[in-house]
Amino acid sequence: MTVLVGLDVGTTGVKALALSPEGEVLARAERGYPLSTPLPGWSEQDPEDWWRASEAALADLGVEPAGIGLSGQMHGLVCLDSEERVLRPAILWNDQRTGEECAEIEERVGLERLIALTGNRALTGFTAPKLLWVRRHEPDLYARIAHVLLPKDYVRLRLTGVRAIDVADASGTLLFDVAGRRWSGEVLDALDLPAEWLPEALESPEVSGHWSGIPVAAGSGDQAAAALGVGIDRPGPVSVVLGTSGVVLAALPAFQADPQARVHAFCHAVPGGWQAMGVMLSAAGSLAWLRDVAGGTWDELTAEAATWPPGAEGLTFLPYLQGERTPHADPGARGAFTGLSLRHDRGALARAVLEGVAYGLRDSLDLLRALGVEAEVGRASGGGARSDLWLRIVASVLGIPLERTVSEEGSAYGAALLGGVAAGVFTDVHEAVAACVRVRDTVEPEPGWRGAYDEGHRRYQALYPALRPLEAPA
Ligand code: XUL
């Protein structure tokens, strides 16, 4: 029997998934690992943890795959020496230490030129500013760098012995010419970074190497893979992800960057395709935080939240717990609850968190609409999409129905489809999506919630400019 495997190297753990060529999930395995925050705003992981977890998850699956696809948390910096040894813990996508380096990049390249070349502005989570941070703060270590990889590409190196990346993940480094689908010599020169450090950039379904003779697809960053996993291979529905991060992603008919780069413009995991997305740093991550500080399980919190009316009697949550990217590219932004009263209990806090994240997603959707994206329906994935209540809230706040697919496996599912193309099981990504992805159910907006949520979103949008002066500078 033909089996396709997707391996997603996430922030909280690795997920391995085995699929039939019809898209049926045959087996799944997950292995977790820790995240360390040595200083406020810092976020690091040990690349060897990813590798140990990946090996174990692949062994747990217990299958003989025809092809493997990789996906993973984006933007993380893995520095290797000339012997391909890890030089320091990886600096992750949600790390916020590089405010100064972002300013330096925009100064050196020029903001307009940077957006024209890379489709993006310098954001703290992206890879290039992290490299400049290491150069400034750890010069001895910087002098030993010979190779730079992203998280899933480190796992690829250990799996296949090959240093490679895909164009979708490379787009998130800020060193990539997104329109031209190649490394940007101009940006590398302006930042004085050696092109030799970077791996070869392949299209996502291309074979990057082999593991025990099994082809391993280049794969993609987790957001592009999640979009494929819910069937977004061309313009149409938008991908709405409620993972640790929260994302609204639209496939674009051609490369297009927002003139102010308020949303990210990246290559899609489909050869010749592009996408734009808005990214919130703490989506399901905000609910996980509430659970950790207020107690209760995920199910208890959402059940208690369901007892509160939309708008939670004026209680509003700002989800900028780790700074933010979209719509406020601001590492110094912070979260807040406002409008608390004696009546509010833990369920009200949970309701406000679910709603605050939904308002943040609406900010991203509004920016995509300003780019000309016609979003009439969304496809939801990520751990938060398992909650009917959260999806009803998000559908109502966005004002569009949200579809769930038969499999809710997100990025690992998309990665497995890419593995299937690399193995020759499908001729291309479109065929893989058509063969495997089916809609299971649709969550409609609640007409009665509309007024409360338009009002709530207005209240939410007023909070950042009002509260920001009270917080530390970026
Ligand atoms: C996307 C991003 C996050 C991570 C989460 O730009 O930074 O969604 O990829 O793993």
Side-chain angles (χ1 to χ4, degrees):
M1 180 181 190
T2 305
V3 180
L4 314 174
V5 164
L7 188 72
D8 178 54
V9 184
T11 310
T12 54
V14 145
K15 183 159 160 189
L17 197 66
L19 292 193
S20 75
E22 291 75 41
E24 190 194 341
V25 175
L26 305 171
R28 69 168 67 74
E30 285 188 52
R31 292 283 182 136
Y33 33 69
L35 177 141
S36 81
T37 50
L39 284 173
W42 288 28
S43 177
E44 301 189 342
Q45 267 169 345
D46 178 357
E48 280 300 306
D49 281 347
W50 301 330
W51 169 237
R52 274 189 291 270
S54 299
E55 256 193 319
L58 284 172
D60 291 347
L61 273 189
V63 296
E64 269 277 312
I68 300 179
L70 301 176
S71 68
Q73 46 167 307
M74 300 174 64
H75 316 292
L77 172 68
V78 181
C79 300
L80 305 180
D81 69 10
S82 54
E83 308 283 307
E84 298 181 340
R85 282 178 308 222
V86 174
L87 284 168
R88 72 174 323 290
I91 308 179
L92 305 194
W93 59 277
N94 52 0
D95 188 289
Q96 295 285 25
R97 77 185 70 175
T98 64
E100 269 180 54
E101 288 73 23
C102 288
E104 181 188 337
I105 292 173
E106 293 189 350
E107 171 80 38
R108 280 194 187 211
V109 185
L111 180 57
E112 226 173 285
R113 188 74 191 134
L114 186 67
I115 296 174
L117 286 169
T118 69
N120 295 284
R121 59 178 305 168
L123 299 176
T124 43
F126 286 5
T127 322
K130 297 179 169 120
L131 262 176
L132 269 57
W133 185 93
V134 175
R135 178 158 72 195
R136 173 171 296 156
H137 296 274
E138 299 174 348
D140 295 345
L141 190 146
Y142 185 83
R144 290 164 56 207
I145 296 177
H147 309 289
V148 163
L149 294 178
L150 265 58
K152 70 164 194 332
D153 303 316
Y154 181 70
V155 171
R156 178 200 325 281
L157 174 66
R158 299 301 307 266
L159 206 55
T160 66
V162 172
R163 280 181 275 110
I165 192 171
D166 63 285
V167 295
D169 224 0
S171 301
T173 61
L174 205 70
L175 301 171
F176 205 62
D177 168 356
V178 175
R181 303 176 94 85
R182 56 175 177 250
W183 295 112
S184 169
E186 186 175 335
V187 175
L188 286 163
D189 286 349
L191 302 184
D192 208 6
L193 293 171
E196 308 81 72
W197 286 1
L198 301 169
E200 185 187 7
L202 303 170
E203 291 291 337
S204 295
E206 279 185 76
V207 177
S208 62
H210 292 84
W211 177 56
S212 311
I214 300 159
V216 177
S220 77
D222 54 6
Q223 296 306 332
L228 283 189
V230 294
I232 297 169
D233 52 333
R234 38 169 73 98
V238 293
S239 164
V240 177
V241 178
L242 286 168
T244 306
S245 62
V247 171
V248 185
L249 179 154
L252 300 176
F255 170 74
Q256 195 190 350
D258 175 66
Q260 293 157 297
R262 290 167 303 177
V263 286
H264 315 343
F266 288 171
C267 296
H268 198 6
V270 183
W274 283 270
Q275 45 103 345
M277 67 175 169
V279 178
M280 307 176 60
L281 296 183
S282 305
S286 291
L287 195 62
W289 164 80
L290 183 70
R291 185 197 53 201
D292 290 346
V293 298
T297 62
W298 185 276
D299 287 345
E300 281 163 357
L301 287 175
T302 51
E304 290 168 20
T307 66
W308 282 84
E313 296 187 358
L315 180 62
T316 310
F317 174 69
L318 212 54
Y320 307 146
L321 299 174
Q322 179 77 353
E324 191 50 298
R325 268 205 230 149
T326 316
H328 309 294
D330 181 357
R334 285 295 170 264
F337 281 108
T338 61
L340 277 166
S341 83
L342 268 183
R343 279 170 54 78
H344 288 127
D345 59 10
R346 188 174 72 175
L349 297 179
R351 179 98 196 185
V353 166
L354 303 182
E355 293 177 346
V357 171
Y359 296 142
L361 293 172
R362 167 140 171 211
D363 287 342
S364 287
L365 182 62
D366 287 349
L367 289 172
L368 290 176
R369 286 192 164 125
L371 262 191
V373 169
E374 285 171 30
E376 276 152 26
V377 58
R379 295 258 171 97
S381 65
R386 284 187 215 129
S387 160
D388 288 349
L389 173 68
W390 205 351
L391 279 202
R392 267 163 70 210
I393 291 171
V394 174
S396 305
V397 169
L398 301 184
I400 54 173
L402 293 178
E403 298 173 340
R404 277 186 290 210
T405 52
V406 173
S407 156
E408 286 172 7
E409 307 288 350
S411 306
Y413 198 89
L417 299 185
L418 293 170
V421 182
V425 173
F426 308 113
T427 51
D428 60 18
V429 179
H430 303 298
E431 189 183 297
V433 164
C436 296
V437 183
R438 270 169 293 282
V439 170
R440 170 168 60 95
D441 66 358
T442 305
V443 178
E444 296 287 342
E446 296 284 342
W449 292 3
R450 181 84 199 235
Y453 283 154
D454 283 343
E455 172 53 31
H457 186 234
R458 268 194 296 279
R459 215 165 51 216
Y460 172 92
Q461 286 196 309
L463 285 181
Y464 174 78
L467 297 181
R468 189 63 186 87
L470 306 176
E471 291 151 7

